[in-house]
Amino acid sequence: MDNIVGQRSSLTWLVNLCAVALVLLWTIPTFGLLVSSFRDRDQILSSGWWQSVFPQEATMQYRAGAPDTAVQEGGLFVIAGNVFEGGGGVVSAFGITSREPGAFAAGEVAQTNDGYELTVAEDGSYRLTSATPFEGTRGERIFVTTTQPPTFTTENFARVLNAEGLGRGFLNTLTVSIPATVIPILVAAFAAYALAWMDFPGRALLIAAVVGLLVVPLQLALIPLLQLHLKAGIGKSYLGIWLAHTAFGLPLAIYLLRNYMAGLPRDIIESARVDGATDFQIFLKIILPLSFPALASFAIFQFLWTWNDLLVALVFLGSTQDQLVMTGQLKELMGSRGGDWEILAASAFISIAVPLAVFFAMQKYLVRGLLAGSVK
Amino acid sequence: MEQFFGAATTIVIGVGGCLLYFFASNLLLDRLFPASGPNISRNINRANAIRPWLFLLPALILLALYLVYPLFWSIYLSVMDAGGQRFVGADNYVWMVNDPKFIESMRNNILWLIVVPAFSTFFGLVAAAVTDRIRWGNFAKAMIFMPMAISFVGASVIWKFVYDFRPEGQNQIGLLNAIVEAFGGAPETWLTHEIVNSFLLMVVLIWIQTGFAMVILSAALRGIPEETVEAAILDGASPLQLFFKIKVPQIWGTILVVWTTITITVLKVFDIVLTMTNGQWGTQVLGNYMYDWLVRGQDSGRASAIAIVIMLLVLPIMIWNIRNARREMR
């Protein structure tokens, strides 16, 4: 509608500004976590993710070589080395006490309490000299203020997938969500066909019941079903959670599919009937292929819902480390590793990567399903 | 590997079993009442009366067992004691109305019910109106819609990072405290700050639900007949007047639908509160409180009573939905 007369162009920049603001507000939190998942642990804790592309300033403590590593040069005893020990960085200041870790600029010469002379160069090489032999067994403490180049790493991901057991959780989540997505489709499709194209007493009542069941809170079903599963010998197992997810997804599936099927042209079905096709044949050969968009919409919904679900998994699956799905593991991590943002960020991104990929690949069907699924 | 094998088997058995059931039951029906022979018309009628129920049976069994039966069994459990053994009458409900944590949950749920649908719908409406008028609208829509695909737990991690706190003097790594400090304020441990923390949790849900509101409302806005818009423009309506006095009233029905759909989500909210604060510091809500009594309290009576309260809150919307659906079908 942007070519209608009267849409003032002076407003265009305001509209654009508004859109930019909204998009930024809605993406920045996710982006922040994404950036953090690639950052080094120390850098996450010492600066905000928005500063991650700039060099990081940090203070660290280093212990110089032990006295027995000293060499004699002329009349002096010397201990030399590099505070970075092979790593990179630039020293801007150093000190000899924890109270004043940056008392001297790089290259200056400092006098220690024991009468030694210490100097640390910008590249991190230090030189500790003394006229008399060094005493004691431990090396001198050196405090350096360094500027580290920004470092990005994929180590966090490797670490959470293996050491934190998220790889296992990924498989568990996959195990839960694939059958729980596939199975309800067929069950619902048959029911939806009956509700859309077959005439029988009580049909309207059943449709109303399905609409009603759409909003039943899951909380209500948890305890009775858990008792039921325990009594039936299913207990806390994949079979139980597949059944639960299948049933919980059915109202939406039936509702979406029925609406879609009821909208298909009557002529096709009537003429097939006239040609002697049975309802079973009509359903399999005509209705099911034609309903593909609605089936896809529901499949996406159900997949996102089962993949992202926490409540059903917590109640219907066991809670040992081997049995947890990814959302359950994330919840545990938030409790036990609350401050370890590199672990949380990487874990969160592994768990949301698949739904995001599905979202961007199938957005069209998702939108279509939403439009059909909201009770008008 | 073993569990994948189990999953694959289940898919095969589930899908194959379904197909087999439908195929076999239809075949049986056709054998019992063949559409030929002396009783042909009677047979066809009988087969047609039975066939819908064959199609519906698996779905009906699952729905009855997993959604309808629990409804009644929960009512029964809510008048029993912790272990579901002894009848205790209304004790659980009496306990509930005197329990400060329950009252706190109710208060918070009411706050959530007002704030989240209102802001989600408002932002959704603004986003819909704005993105429909710019060239990069589809990209903007996708970005605002994206949180829909993120789990509540994932969203909680994302936002907990935004709210992170470092003591004064250290570099703030949470965006919120960094902004506060940039404007000269002192950093706060936001999530322990009563009342404020509830609103911060609501932000997470608003962030997720806005995309949904935007998608639905954007479709509704496009469905407005152009004549009404053109007439208003000819009459000299300003863009704001056009939006609020011409467009919004015409999509009022859709706004209501969005509002009620988000309301249902809000009533069931659980993951966000569990993972971000676990109901501490005055943030408890019914969904999490129920889970708390189920898992930590091991009291199926009280947990069921709380679940019944959630159901009662959902009930008006359920009835409204059913009436709307029936009206539409006529």
Side-chain angles (χ1 to χ4, degrees), chain A residues 1 4-8 11 15-16 18-20 22-23 25-30 32-33 36 44-50 168 171-172 174-175 178-179 182-183 186-187 190-191 193-195 198-201 204-208 211-213 215-225 227-229 238 242-244 246-248 250-251 254 258 279-280 283 304 308 310-311 314-315 327 330-331 334 341 344 348 352 355-356 359-360 363 366-367 370-371 374-376, chain B residues 3-4 6-7 10-11 14-15 18-19 22-23 26 30 48 51-53 55-56 58-60 62-63 65-71 73-74 77 123 126-127 130 133-134 136 140 142-151 153-154 156-162 164 166 171-175 178 206-207 210 212 215-216 219 226 229-230 233 238-239 247 257 264 268-271 274-276 287 290-291 294 300 303-304 307-308 310-311 314 318 321-322 324-326 328-329:
Chain A
M1 279 199 297
I4 290 183
V5 203
Q7 301 268 20
R8 281 183 224 158
L11 235 109
V15 168
N16 270 300
C18 211
V20 169
L22 274 172
V23 167
L25 258 174
W26 254 255
T27 48
I28 278 183
T30 318
L33 203 71
S36 298
I44 292 183
L45 292 180
S46 62
S47 65
W49 58 266
W50 52 91
R168 174 81 205 190
L171 296 183
N172 289 350
L174 210 61
T175 311
I178 302 286
V182 176
I183 295 172
L186 207 60
V187 176
F190 272 99
Y193 175 73
L195 290 175
M198 293 164 115
D199 233 352
F200 59 92
L205 204 68
L206 276 183
I207 297 173
V211 173
L213 290 178
V215 296
V216 168
L218 283 187
Q219 273 89 354
L220 206 62
L222 299 180
I223 306 173
L225 289 181
Q227 293 180 351
L228 188 77
H229 279 179
Y238 285 116
W242 288 327
L243 281 172
T246 300
F248 296 154
L250 273 182
I254 298 176
R258 192 209 82 89
D279 274 314
F280 190 64
F283 172 76
L304 289 182
N308 288 338
L310 174 68
L311 181 59
L314 280 182
V315 175
T327 47
L330 263 185
K331 177 207 153 233
M334 281 176 91
W341 283 111
L344 284 174
I352 64 182
L356 280 185
F359 170 83
F360 282 115
Q363 207 188 347
L366 191 67
V367 169
L370 269 187
L371 292 177
S374 56
V375 189
K376 271 170 244 137
Chain B
Q3 71 189 63
F4 268 132
T10 311
I11 295 180
V15 175
C18 264
L19 279 174
F22 287 116
F23 189 73
N26 271 285
D30 290 335
N48 279 347
R51 206 182 308 274
W53 299 102
F55 274 58
L56 284 165
L60 287 186
L62 276 171
L63 288 179
L65 204 58
Y66 277 81
L67 286 168
V68 180
Y69 150 77
L71 193 71
W73 194 250
S74 286
L77 282 176
F123 282 125
V126 171
V130 165
R133 295 180 55 170
I134 55 176
W136 51 288
M143 289 297 114
I144 297 173
F145 194 30
M146 183 183 67
M148 272 291 280
I150 297 176
S151 63
V153 187
S156 301
V157 177
I158 291 173
W159 281 91
K160 210 171 177 185
F161 189 49
V162 172
D164 188 83
R166 302 279 125 171
N171 263 338
Q172 294 299 330
I173 63 170
L175 194 57
I206 294 170
W207 180 72
T210 296
F212 161 75
V215 166
I216 308 259
E226 278 198 23
V229 177
E230 273 167 27
I233 292 171
S238 74
K247 288 184 175 175
V257 168
I264 300 273
K268 296 188 283 194
V269 68
F270 157 76
D271 318 38
L274 175 74
T275 49
M276 286 184 88
M290 183 261 165
Y291 178 79
L294 167 65
S300 65
S304 297
I308 296 287
I310 303 177
M311 182 66 219
V314 172
M318 186 196 248
N321 276 353
I322 293 176
N324 276 354
R326 297 199 71 144
E328 210 171 73
M329 281 193 347

Side-chain angles (χ1 to χ4, degrees), chain B residues 181-198:
Chain B
E181 272 200 343
F183 283 98
E188 282 265 8
T189 49
W190 294 107
L191 288 177
T192 60
H193 207 286
E194 203 141 334
I195 300 298
V196 178
N197 52 11
S198 280

